[in-house]
Amino acid sequence: MDAQELTSAAAARADELPGSALENPFGPEWDVYKVRGRVFLLLPLDGTGRVTLKSQPDDAKALRETFADIVPGYHMNKKHWITLTPGSSLEEGLVTELVTESYLLVVEKLPRAQRPVDPQTFGRQAD
């Protein structure tokens, strides 16, 4: 995926998620997606195509080892955040899945009354 495809796929998925809000708390150079005031996606608007997301530490490590275009979180806690960079190892489905996972990691830490979805069942198909 090139820079435009990567950031467009991430932003499109973030826009679909219940309770997701786009803000610019760091100025017009950054799009920051939050759910109930908590960050789950950062997109710098500098043309690099970087997408920074929350990730479970073990998953983050495995993703970095598996995909050449996934690196430790840019300017974030390297254990809990990953950054996707443009490149051939990423596909839209993976980007969508990782944005959703980042969102759910944040949602599950919210008080139950503030959760826009149930993180245990969101996106799972009923049998």
Side-chain angles (χ1 to χ4, degrees):
M1 300 183 85
D2 67 23
Q4 180 61 40
E5 292 169 332
L6 179 56
T7 56
S8 292
R13 180 56 180 155
D15 286 334
E16 296 173 341
L17 295 167
S20 174
L22 172 61
E23 299 180 14
N24 301 97
F26 308 125
E29 302 85 24
W30 286 85
D31 278 352
V32 177
Y33 285 86
K34 297 181 177 184
V35 58
R36 302 296 191 255
R38 296 194 178 183
V39 175
F40 70 92
L41 168 66
L42 295 118
L43 295 172
L45 304 176
D46 58 4
T48 60
R50 287 189 310 260
V51 173
T52 301
L53 303 162
K54 283 191 78 78
S55 184
Q56 290 282 6
D58 291 341
D59 292 344
K61 184 175 188 278
L63 288 164
R64 290 191 307 265
E65 291 172 354
T66 304
F67 297 95
D69 302 309
I70 298 180
V71 298
Y74 180 75
H75 284 302
M76 300 298 280
N77 179 306
K78 308 301 187 222
K79 183 176 179 180
H80 296 279
W81 291 84
I82 56 173
T83 294
L84 315 182
T85 60
S88 61
S89 74
L90 301 179
E91 295 179 359
E92 186 173 349
L94 176 62
V95 173
T96 298
E97 182 181 331
L98 293 174
V99 170
T100 304
E101 180 63 22
S102 179
Y103 167 84
L104 291 173
L105 286 170
V106 172
V107 168
E108 72 182 10
K109 298 292 185 188
L110 294 171
R112 287 192 191 280
Q114 291 183 17
R115 294 178 181 174
V117 299
D118 180 345
Q120 302 305 313
T121 61
F122 180 75
R124 300 190 188 193
Q125 296 177 347
D127 292 330

